[in-house]
Amino acid sequence: MSAAITPGGRRWRRFRRNPTAVIGLAIVLVVLFAAAFAPWISPYPSHVGAVVNFRARHQPPSLHYLFGTDNVGRDIFSRVLFGYRISLLLAGAVLGVAVPVGVALGLIAGYFGGWVETIIMRVNDISLAIPPLVMALAVTTVLTPSLLHSMLAIAALWWTWHTRLIYSITRTLRHQEFIEAAETLGASKLHILFRELLPNCASAILVKVSLDFGFVILVGAALSYLGLGVQPPTPDLGTMVAAGADFLPERWWEALLPGAAILFVALGFNLLGDGLRDLFDVESVR
Amino acid sequence: MNSVLLRGLVCGVAAIGLTAGVQAAEPRVVTMNTVQIFGSIDPAKISDYTDYMASVNLYDGLANVDAKGNLVPELAASWEVSPDATSVTFHLRNDARFQDGAPVTAADVVYSVDRLLKINLGPANLFAGVLKPGSVTAIDPHTVKFTLLKTFSPFLATVPAIRILNSKLVKAHAGADDGQTWLSTHTAGAGPYELKSWQRGSQMTIVRDPKYYRGWGEGAIDEVHFIVTNDEATVRSMAASGELTMTSQYQSPDTYDQLAKSPRFKVVKAETAVAFDLKVNSKAKPTDDLHIRKAIALATDYDTIRSTILPGGELTGPLPKTFAADYLQGPAPKFDLDAAKAEIAKSGYAGQKGIPLTLTYVSGTKFEEELGLLMQSNLEQIGFKVTLAGEPWNRVTEIAAKIATTPNITEVFFGPTYPSPDSMFYTEYDSHASGTWASMEWLQNPDVDKLIEGARATGDAAAQGKLYKELQKKLIDMQSDVFIETQLVRHAMDKCLDGYAYVPMQSFDYAFHKYKWTCR
């Protein structure tokens, strides 16, 4: 098989020539690996549970403790690796709910038009006007702070961006010949929505999702920084930054290194998303 | 646009000129942080430490409290207690003046007490069943008599909580609510400091009344600026920049250690009558079982807590040593996981894996979270499954209202609001107090109630001491709480500031009239 002439092979080559995209992919793979194998590669896997070691509190980074220890003597590096699990779980769950809902609504609004479009898009406009962090704060304050409620709160507004994106793509596609041909042949609405329109949105969705992963992780971290996410002792990157911030600037590692870990994963997904955007020539994604 | 800019510039220049002009008589300003907002400054509504902190500076009472818990004269120069201890006559100072210059008279005292009882909030609970409107009568302009409804031995200790209002001034602004609206933002007292500015949620500034009737000594503090923040990093950076003169008493051990190293600060320490307990809900499963409560106490690592997490004084029972006459030395608490396991084996939960426990602490308080994690770690080793929850303080007061929402274990500080053991026992263990944050044990035990009520009703100090000792023994035996330590109060203070001394009555140690600036 000659890779040079298959479209997949051509794309992979173009992707490889984009150094930032490759870096992004590498970061994402590293993070996924770290999260998946955290129990085996972290030096102190017990430190994510109910363990304290007050004799080793506030140790600076060293070979024993790569990222130092926190105020109750737990290894920060181990907790960061496990923290990635929570972050990825949060982002995966939020996007797993928000993307299908958002895409479906976007397709319906863009294809059917009329009052369906009016209702969906005006609700969308209203939702877009609410700052996601404020909404998330409200939801988690009314309900009790927990990971599930953070997810709910973020997902409750995240669909809007996908609806808007897919709506605009669908609008440009719906009067094209292949759609009209399908309609003339008597294809069902469902067929047109999900077999004709959706595949044409796939690359845009892929790019958007990979960019969003970083953003959702950031919002999740902001929420837990404010004390509205995961409860102790479960390791969460945002909570770790908040806990460590009390010891700035002398014990910089306690806030800075978990913060750098958030930066790392968000940067990875952003670079990857950028790379994918160039690859697929999707201009409509911000 | 331009003209606005220009005006701003002119103002700026004028301001610079102004500060240069008054530099000669620079006021002595103390800036202190508080970890919570000032809820109310109305003397009929004050309840928590910041409320009292404002009140002891803005208002005066008939009597004050000294560091030993003794009553000392303030607006009243002297007082007599009737032989049967059911009435007290106070003689007001002739020279006592309110901040507006009006003399303090017996009518003001009568008005203040009647208003307090009518509004029935804040300190009014101290006088429930003891005073009713009309109990206080003016005998002449400088003599006022309190007639009690029954013998109530801690009464004198509660007198400083009555802050005296300028009745003419309040009546002029009374409106339809006895001046509650007006007094929520204004003051009408005889205190040494006047309210200058107050932004709820961020800061309060009080300034010295130079005409204060008790006079001022050398180095009086001209202005006190309270800043509301519980963020350790903010407190440290304010201290480093020279903005902060005195920290709150609730900073983390780390902050004190660091500020102690700075050349500008000293750290003053005092053992207090504030008890730090794990309040154990005796009506919820599994902590309704005495053996489970004992197991929790045995699984508490007192050494680590006292050496590393939060240094404090010895506490062996419900009453701190400060109340020496009524104090009962309990057995020294020990940390012994094997003994804890043995207690579980004796309980109704023997052999069960992962006995569920909930532990709540005040979120944002570092050492409380650390203690929570320590308890969780030890309790899970002996077969419990502990759910930790950090809750903001106002939420803690809400969940304390019902047995079902009260956690198995809650970390709570409780100190006397008036200098009598009654303040600890009645507020924490009497059935009347059920549903409040101070009473999250839910004892509702008739024997305990009887002992508390008995001590209140006797004027005989010896009999009272006997009842209090019996009560302490009972509470220790039933392991009503895990008694951790007494709070060691610490303040990092500018080396030039002097005058802090612990007083066993809420926030009476922050009466800045007693403080002085010792540098030039």
Side-chain angles (χ1 to χ4, degrees):
Chain A
M1 184 178 89
S2 165
I5 49 167
T6 66
R10 211 162 46 232
R11 282 201 176 135
W12 172 237
R13 273 203 187 170
R14 247 171 69 197
F15 186 83
R16 267 193 323 188
R17 258 181 270 142
N18 184 346
T20 52
V22 174
I23 294 173
L25 181 66
I27 293 177
V28 169
L29 288 178
V30 166
V31 170
L32 287 176
F33 177 82
F37 296 99
W40 295 277
I41 56 175
S42 68
Y44 301 93
S46 67
H47 284 197
V48 299
V51 166
V52 291
N53 178 11
F54 280 91
R55 265 182 287 280
R57 72 199 304 227
H58 299 310
Q59 300 284 319
S62 67
L63 281 178
H64 276 292
Y65 303 109
L66 284 179
F67 282 12
T69 63
D70 64 8
N71 60 324
V72 293
R74 298 175 299 200
D75 179 39
I76 294 177
F77 182 66
S78 304
R79 291 176 63 77
V80 163
L81 295 185
F82 279 90
Y84 275 145
R85 289 186 151 190
I86 302 281
S87 292
L88 292 173
L89 178 69
L90 172 94
V94 166
L95 295 177
V97 174
V99 172
V101 171
V103 167
L105 287 173
L107 285 173
I108 291 167
Y111 178 69
F112 291 105
W115 60 269
V116 179
E117 174 195 333
T118 311
I119 291 174
I120 293 177
M121 294 319 288
R122 291 304 79 76
V123 171
N124 189 283
D125 286 341
I126 294 166
S127 308
L128 276 174
I130 306 171
L133 196 57
V134 174
M135 173 72 169
L137 276 172
V139 171
T140 44
T141 314
V142 173
L143 305 171
T144 51
S146 75
L147 183 63
L148 184 69
H149 293 154
S150 304
M151 288 176 182
L152 269 178
I154 303 173
L157 286 180
W158 212 272
W159 60 275
T160 53
W161 298 105
H162 291 268
T163 304
R164 194 136 275 268
L165 171 70
I166 299 308
Y167 167 75
S168 70
I169 297 174
T170 314
R171 288 275 292 176
T172 58
L173 292 178
R174 66 181 276 207
H175 295 300
Q176 288 198 6
E177 282 161 10
F178 72 100
I179 301 293
E180 280 170 2
E183 281 172 343
T184 324
L185 288 170
S188 73
K189 302 281 188 225
L190 275 180
H191 176 89
I192 292 170
L193 283 179
F194 293 104
R195 284 297 170 80
E196 303 291 342
L197 287 170
L198 186 61
N200 283 288
C201 302
S203 51
I205 295 172
L206 182 65
V207 173
K208 178 83 181 130
V209 165
S210 59
L211 283 170
D212 272 5
F213 237 86
F215 286 116
V216 173
I217 289 175
L218 280 179
V219 173
L223 275 184
S224 49
Y225 178 83
L226 297 168
L228 300 169
V230 187
Q231 294 298 301
T234 314
D236 176 279
L237 297 173
T239 317
M240 290 164 77
V241 175
D246 283 342
F247 303 105
L248 284 174
E250 293 79 13
R251 290 163 187 150
W252 51 270
W253 60 90
E254 294 183 28
L256 204 66
L257 295 180
I262 299 174
L263 177 76
F264 186 68
V265 61
L267 182 74
F269 279 109
N270 254 320
L271 292 179
L272 177 65
D274 263 351
L276 291 175
R277 175 167 56 191
D278 293 345
L279 195 63
F280 293 117
D281 275 334
V282 193
E283 284 309 320
S284 47
V285 182
R286 99 190 121 100
Chain B
M1 191 64 180
N2 262 337
S3 75
V4 172
L5 199 73
L6 198 68
R7 241 180 289 160
L9 213 67
V10 170
C11 285
V13 171
I16 292 166
L18 213 66
T19 42
V22 296
Q23 213 143 41
E26 179 120 1
R28 280 181 287 262
V29 180
V30 167
T31 304
M32 179 183 185
N33 75 300
T34 65
V35 298
Q36 61 184 41
I37 63 165
F38 292 87
S40 176
I41 56 168
D42 184 333
K45 292 181 176 174
I46 50 176
S47 68
D48 57 23
Y49 105 87
T50 37
D51 292 354
Y52 272 89
M53 195 174 206
S55 195
V56 296
N57 286 297
L58 299 169
Y59 291 89
D60 267 4
L62 291 169
N64 206 331
V65 188
D66 72 7
K68 294 201 174 68
N70 299 320
L71 234 53
V72 291
E74 197 163 79
L75 284 169
S78 63
W79 51 86
E80 294 117 35
V81 184
S82 70
D84 63 348
T86 52
S87 74
V88 187
T89 311
F90 290 92
H91 303 282
L92 300 182
R93 282 173 70 132
N94 290 324
D95 59 352
R97 292 275 180 282
F98 285 110
Q99 287 169 354
D100 68 353
V104 179
T105 64
D108 294 310
V109 179
V110 173
Y111 177 79
S112 302
V113 177
D114 286 350
R115 179 175 181 274
L116 174 67
L117 297 173
K118 183 174 170 196
I119 293 173
N120 199 21
L121 292 169
N125 67 343
L126 302 176
F127 307 106
V130 179
L131 295 176
K132 64 175 172 48
S135 293
V136 183
T137 46
I139 291 177
D140 66 45
H142 288 287
T143 313
V144 62
K145 185 175 175 190
F146 285 65
T147 310
L148 311 189
L149 300 175
K150 60 177 183 201
T151 306
F152 176 58
S153 54
F155 174 72
L156 268 183
T158 61
V159 165
I162 305 174
R163 318 303 294 169
I164 304 304
L165 285 160
N166 184 338
S167 58
K168 281 200 196 73
L169 193 58
V170 178
K171 280 176 188 159
H173 297 93
D177 59 358
D178 297 300
Q180 291 185 54
T181 312
W182 190 73
L183 281 173
S184 68
T185 49
H186 297 79
T187 64
Y193 287 88
E194 291 173 284
L195 186 66
K196 183 179 171 192
S197 73
W198 180 22
Q199 269 121 41
R200 269 184 96 82
S202 67
Q203 63 97 2
M204 175 185 280
T205 303
I206 56 177
V207 292
R208 184 165 76 95
D209 172 13
K211 304 187 301 293
Y212 180 54
Y213 69 98
R214 285 196 293 159
W216 294 92
E218 193 64 24
I221 307 302
D222 292 312
E223 194 171 309
V224 185
H225 189 46
F226 300 106
I227 293 183
V228 181
T229 177
N230 63 357
D231 182 61
E232 302 286 348
T234 307
V235 170
R236 284 203 294 263
S237 71
M238 277 170 59
S241 71
E243 197 185 341
L244 197 73
T245 332
M246 180 172 175
T247 66
S248 82
Q249 67 274 44
Y250 295 117
Q251 304 315 130
S252 75
D254 254 354
T255 301
Y256 294 118
D257 291 348
Q258 273 181 37
L259 292 186
K261 285 184 210 139
S262 128
R264 198 163 75 83
F265 284 97
K266 60 182 174 189
V267 175
V268 295
K269 293 180 195 175
E271 203 167 308
T272 71
V274 177
F276 185 37
D277 296 327
L278 299 181
K279 293 198 174 279
V280 186
N281 184 343
S282 66
K283 292 279 184 288
K285 283 186 188 332
T287 40
D288 53 347
D289 189 318
L290 172 66
H291 295 293
I292 293 293
R293 296 202 293 274
K294 287 202 162 144
I296 295 170
L298 285 164
T300 306
D301 184 353
Y302 301 92
D303 278 345
T304 300
I305 298 169
R306 289 179 191 165
S307 66
T308 314
I309 297 181
L310 183 72
E314 189 191 28
L315 184 71
T316 59
L319 192 70
K321 268 192 287 207
T322 317
F323 300 104
D326 303 308
Y327 174 69
L328 177 81
Q329 173 89 34
K334 60 176 198 287
F335 172 47
D336 185 343
L337 287 181
D338 290 327
K341 276 187 208 149
E343 286 292 343
I344 298 178
K346 281 189 254 170
S347 76
Y349 299 85
Q352 205 172 312
K353 280 269 163 290
I355 308 165
L357 276 181
T358 49
L359 193 159
T360 294
Y361 60 91
V362 179
S363 56
T365 327
K366 202 96 248 169
F367 57 82
E368 292 205 6
E369 186 189 324
E370 289 171 6
L371 173 60
L373 289 166
L374 177 71
M375 292 303 298
Q376 183 182 45
S377 161
N378 288 329
L379 289 169
E380 298 211 340
Q381 282 176 45
I382 56 170
F384 290 101
K385 175 86 194 82
V386 181
T387 310
L388 278 187
E391 302 276 11
W393 179 244
N394 57 357
R395 174 104 183 109
V396 174
T397 60
E398 276 170 33
I399 58 177
K402 290 196 202 89
I403 290 176
T405 54
T406 304
N408 290 117
I409 307 173
T410 314
E411 299 178 26
V412 173
F413 283 93
F414 186 80
T417 47
Y418 50 95
S420 160
D422 185 66
S423 176
M424 303 291 288
F425 293 129
Y426 186 75
T427 327
E428 289 186 283
Y429 303 110
D430 194 276
S431 297
H432 286 101
S434 291
T436 67
W437 61 267
S439 191
M440 288 170 97
E441 296 90 350
W442 291 97
L443 288 189
Q444 303 186 315
N445 181 317
D447 297 341
V448 169
D449 288 355
K450 224 168 92 190
L451 288 166
I452 297 173
E453 305 290 345
R456 286 164 82 96
T458 172
D460 176 1
Q464 206 174 54
K466 208 167 146 261
L467 290 171
Y468 279 144
K469 281 176 190 163
E470 195 183 327
L471 176 60
Q472 287 168 72
K473 170 127 192 6
K474 198 165 183 56
L475 292 170
I476 293 170
D477 287 346
M478 64 199 279
Q479 198 78 57
S480 59
D481 308 67
V482 179
F483 308 107
I484 293 183
E485 59 189 6
T486 57
Q487 191 188 9
L488 194 65
V489 73
R490 287 194 282 183
H491 292 276
M493 285 168 46
D494 194 299
K495 283 181 176 153
C496 292
L497 185 63
D498 240 350
Y500 177 79
Y502 175 71
V503 177
M505 179 151 186
Q506 182 156 263
S507 293
F508 275 61
D509 25 13
Y510 305 111
F512 281 91
H513 181 249
K514 290 185 290 195
Y515 287 56
K516 65 179 181 201
W517 195 257
T518 55
C519 307
R520 288 210 158 262

mmCIF file of all heavy atoms in Angstrom, chain B residues 227-250:
data_model
loop_
_atom_site.group_PDB
_atom_site.id
_atom_site.type_symbol
_atom_site.label_atom_id
_atom_site.label_comp_id
_atom_site.label_asym_id
_atom_site.label_seq_id
_atom_site.Cartn_x
_atom_site.Cartn_y
_atom_site.Cartn_z
ATOM 1 N N ILE B 227 -9.663 44.878 58.582
ATOM 2 C CA ILE B 227 -9.777 44.423 57.196
ATOM 3 C C ILE B 227 -10.237 42.978 57.210
ATOM 4 O O ILE B 227 -9.673 42.149 57.917
ATOM 5 C CB ILE B 227 -8.430 44.560 56.468
ATOM 6 C CG1 ILE B 227 -8.105 46.034 56.328
ATOM 7 C CG2 ILE B 227 -8.465 43.863 55.124
ATOM 8 C CD1 ILE B 227 -6.859 46.330 55.580
ATOM 9 N N VAL B 228 -11.296 42.688 56.440
ATOM 10 C CA VAL B 228 -11.851 41.341 56.458
ATOM 11 C C VAL B 228 -11.142 40.480 55.418
ATOM 12 O O VAL B 228 -11.305 40.692 54.218
ATOM 13 C CB VAL B 228 -13.367 41.368 56.154
ATOM 14 C CG1 VAL B 228 -13.935 39.956 56.207
ATOM 15 C CG2 VAL B 228 -14.090 42.275 57.124
ATOM 16 N N THR B 229 -10.323 39.554 55.869
ATOM 17 C CA THR B 229 -9.760 38.558 54.956
ATOM 18 C C THR B 229 -9.285 37.368 55.766
ATOM 19 O O THR B 229 -8.716 37.537 56.844
ATOM 20 C CB THR B 229 -8.607 39.109 54.095
ATOM 21 O OG1 THR B 229 -8.096 38.030 53.309
ATOM 22 C CG2 THR B 229 -7.472 39.654 54.932
ATOM 23 N N ASN B 230 -9.540 36.154 55.251
ATOM 24 C CA ASN B 230 -9.009 34.983 55.949
ATOM 25 C C ASN B 230 -7.977 34.287 55.078
ATOM 26 O O ASN B 230 -7.623 33.154 55.308
ATOM 27 C CB ASN B 230 -10.123 34.024 56.356
ATOM 28 C CG ASN B 230 -10.849 33.456 55.167
ATOM 29 O OD1 ASN B 230 -10.567 33.814 54.026
ATOM 30 N ND2 ASN B 230 -11.777 32.565 55.409
ATOM 31 N N ASP B 231 -7.509 34.998 54.061
ATOM 32 C CA ASP B 231 -6.560 34.407 53.135
ATOM 33 C C ASP B 231 -5.144 34.603 53.664
ATOM 34 O O ASP B 231 -4.689 35.732 53.824
ATOM 35 C CB ASP B 231 -6.730 35.060 51.759
ATOM 36 C CG ASP B 231 -5.804 34.458 50.746
ATOM 37 O OD1 ASP B 231 -5.924 33.257 50.507
ATOM 38 O OD2 ASP B 231 -4.937 35.178 50.236
ATOM 39 N N GLU B 232 -4.464 33.489 53.951
ATOM 40 C CA GLU B 232 -3.155 33.579 54.597
ATOM 41 C C GLU B 232 -2.156 34.368 53.752
ATOM 42 O O GLU B 232 -1.368 35.160 54.274
ATOM 43 C CB GLU B 232 -2.590 32.177 54.865
ATOM 44 C CG GLU B 232 -3.472 31.299 55.724
ATOM 45 C CD GLU B 232 -3.482 31.692 57.195
ATOM 46 O OE1 GLU B 232 -2.628 32.504 57.593
ATOM 47 O OE2 GLU B 232 -4.358 31.203 57.925
ATOM 48 N N ALA B 233 -2.190 34.127 52.438
ATOM 49 C CA ALA B 233 -1.213 34.798 51.582
ATOM 50 C C ALA B 233 -1.439 36.314 51.607
ATOM 51 O O ALA B 233 -0.489 37.099 51.632
ATOM 52 C CB ALA B 233 -1.309 34.253 50.164
ATOM 53 N N THR B 234 -2.710 36.731 51.635
ATOM 54 C CA THR B 234 -3.018 38.164 51.689
ATOM 55 C C THR B 234 -2.513 38.754 53.001
ATOM 56 O O THR B 234 -1.899 39.828 53.023
ATOM 57 C CB THR B 234 -4.543 38.378 51.595
ATOM 58 O OG1 THR B 234 -5.022 37.696 50.459
ATOM 59 C CG2 THR B 234 -4.878 39.842 51.495
ATOM 60 N N VAL B 235 -2.769 38.039 54.101
ATOM 61 C CA VAL B 235 -2.339 38.538 55.406
ATOM 62 C C VAL B 235 -0.816 38.700 55.421
ATOM 63 O O VAL B 235 -0.284 39.716 55.864
ATOM 64 C CB VAL B 235 -2.806 37.576 56.525
ATOM 65 C CG1 VAL B 235 -2.166 37.939 57.853
ATOM 66 C CG2 VAL B 235 -4.318 37.616 56.644
ATOM 67 N N ARG B 236 -0.122 37.708 54.887
ATOM 68 C CA ARG B 236 1.342 37.782 54.906
ATOM 69 C C ARG B 236 1.869 38.902 54.033
ATOM 70 O O ARG B 236 2.819 39.591 54.394
ATOM 71 C CB ARG B 236 1.945 36.445 54.471
ATOM 72 C CG ARG B 236 1.861 35.392 55.555
ATOM 73 C CD ARG B 236 2.913 34.326 55.347
ATOM 74 N NE ARG B 236 2.646 33.586 54.129
ATOM 75 C CZ ARG B 236 2.003 32.422 54.118
ATOM 76 N NH1 ARG B 236 1.609 31.881 55.221
ATOM 77 N NH2 ARG B 236 1.789 31.803 52.983
ATOM 78 N N SER B 237 1.225 39.080 52.856
ATOM 79 C CA SER B 237 1.758 40.132 51.996
ATOM 80 C C SER B 237 1.434 41.510 52.568
ATOM 81 O O SER B 237 2.218 42.444 52.448
ATOM 82 C CB SER B 237 1.260 39.974 50.555
ATOM 83 O OG SER B 237 -0.099 40.279 50.486
ATOM 84 N N MET B 238 0.266 41.621 53.251
ATOM 85 C CA MET B 238 -0.040 42.908 53.893
ATOM 86 C C MET B 238 0.932 43.182 55.030
ATOM 87 O O MET B 238 1.323 44.323 55.273
ATOM 88 C CB MET B 238 -1.462 42.900 54.444
ATOM 89 C CG MET B 238 -2.510 43.225 53.395
ATOM 90 S SD MET B 238 -4.171 42.919 53.996
ATOM 91 C CE MET B 238 -4.225 43.985 55.400
ATOM 92 N N ALA B 239 1.328 42.133 55.733
ATOM 93 C CA ALA B 239 2.300 42.303 56.817
ATOM 94 C C ALA B 239 3.657 42.696 56.242
ATOM 95 O O ALA B 239 4.348 43.571 56.770
ATOM 96 C CB ALA B 239 2.415 41.022 57.628
ATOM 97 N N ALA B 240 4.004 42.076 55.129
ATOM 98 C CA ALA B 240 5.310 42.359 54.531
ATOM 99 C C ALA B 240 5.376 43.791 54.002
ATOM 100 O O ALA B 240 6.411 44.451 54.091
ATOM 101 C CB ALA B 240 5.587 41.365 53.414
ATOM 102 N N SER B 241 4.243 44.280 53.484
ATOM 103 C CA SER B 241 4.262 45.624 52.915
ATOM 104 C C SER B 241 4.143 46.688 54.004
ATOM 105 O O SER B 241 4.211 47.878 53.721
ATOM 106 C CB SER B 241 3.117 45.784 51.913
ATOM 107 O OG SER B 241 1.893 45.823 52.606
ATOM 108 N N GLY B 242 3.934 46.272 55.236
ATOM 109 C CA GLY B 242 3.854 47.245 56.328
ATOM 110 C C GLY B 242 2.454 47.746 56.574
ATOM 111 O O GLY B 242 2.223 48.567 57.460
ATOM 112 N N GLU B 243 1.464 47.231 55.816
ATOM 113 C CA GLU B 243 0.107 47.725 55.959
ATOM 114 C C GLU B 243 -0.550 47.182 57.228
ATOM 115 O O GLU B 243 -1.321 47.860 57.888
ATOM 116 C CB GLU B 243 -0.698 47.307 54.726
ATOM 117 C CG GLU B 243 -1.980 48.078 54.551
ATOM 118 C CD GLU B 243 -2.788 47.539 53.383
ATOM 119 O OE1 GLU B 243 -2.213 46.846 52.521
ATOM 120 O OE2 GLU B 243 -3.993 47.814 53.359
ATOM 121 N N LEU B 244 -0.210 45.941 57.584
ATOM 122 C CA LEU B 244 -0.874 45.279 58.703
ATOM 123 C C LEU B 244 -0.091 45.515 59.999
ATOM 124 O O LEU B 244 1.120 45.407 60.036
ATOM 125 C CB LEU B 244 -0.944 43.780 58.410
ATOM 126 C CG LEU B 244 -1.934 42.990 59.238
ATOM 127 C CD1 LEU B 244 -3.354 43.295 58.785
ATOM 128 C CD2 LEU B 244 -1.679 41.496 59.088
ATOM 129 N N THR B 245 -0.804 45.836 61.080
ATOM 130 C CA THR B 245 -0.151 46.027 62.369
ATOM 131 C C THR B 245 -0.356 44.817 63.267
ATOM 132 O O THR B 245 0.455 44.532 64.138
ATOM 133 C CB THR B 245 -0.758 47.249 63.100
ATOM 134 O OG1 THR B 245 -1.250 48.158 62.128
ATOM 135 C CG2 THR B 245 0.289 47.941 63.946
ATOM 136 N N MET B 246 -1.477 44.131 63.078
ATOM 137 C CA MET B 246 -1.836 43.048 63.992
ATOM 138 C C MET B 246 -2.670 42.036 63.224
ATOM 139 O O MET B 246 -3.595 42.406 62.498
ATOM 140 C CB MET B 246 -2.662 43.660 65.135
ATOM 141 C CG MET B 246 -3.133 42.699 66.180
ATOM 142 S SD MET B 246 -3.886 43.644 67.542
ATOM 143 C CE MET B 246 -4.499 42.318 68.556
ATOM 144 N N THR B 247 -2.355 40.747 63.380
ATOM 145 C CA THR B 247 -3.146 39.737 62.678
ATOM 146 C C THR B 247 -4.328 39.318 63.542
ATOM 147 O O THR B 247 -4.365 39.593 64.734
ATOM 148 C CB THR B 247 -2.322 38.458 62.409
ATOM 149 O OG1 THR B 247 -2.009 37.856 63.667
ATOM 150 C CG2 THR B 247 -1.052 38.759 61.655
ATOM 151 N N SER B 248 -5.258 38.619 62.937
ATOM 152 C CA SER B 248 -6.349 38.020 63.702
ATOM 153 C C SER B 248 -5.776 36.886 64.536
ATOM 154 O O SER B 248 -4.603 36.539 64.404
ATOM 155 C CB SER B 248 -7.402 37.467 62.761
ATOM 156 O OG SER B 248 -7.001 36.195 62.307
ATOM 157 N N GLN B 249 -6.595 36.269 65.372
ATOM 158 C CA GLN B 249 -6.133 35.151 66.188
ATOM 159 C C GLN B 249 -6.299 33.830 65.465
ATOM 160 O O GLN B 249 -6.073 32.789 66.036
ATOM 161 C CB GLN B 249 -6.882 35.110 67.518
ATOM 162 C CG GLN B 249 -8.358 34.786 67.435
ATOM 163 C CD GLN B 249 -9.219 36.003 67.182
ATOM 164 O OE1 GLN B 249 -8.901 36.845 66.339
ATOM 165 N NE2 GLN B 249 -10.313 36.099 67.894
ATOM 166 N N TYR B 250 -6.720 33.870 64.194
ATOM 167 C CA TYR B 250 -7.032 32.631 63.496
ATOM 168 C C TYR B 250 -6.087 32.331 62.333
ATOM 169 O O TYR B 250 -6.453 31.636 61.410
ATOM 170 C CB TYR B 250 -8.478 32.662 62.982
ATOM 171 C CG TYR B 250 -9.504 32.702 64.092
ATOM 172 C CD1 TYR B 250 -10.368 33.787 64.231
ATOM 173 C CD2 TYR B 250 -9.598 31.663 64.996
ATOM 174 C CE1 TYR B 250 -11.306 33.822 65.256
ATOM 175 C CE2 TYR B 250 -10.532 31.694 66.014
ATOM 176 C CZ TYR B 250 -11.382 32.769 66.141
ATOM 177 O OH TYR B 250 -12.311 32.800 67.142
#
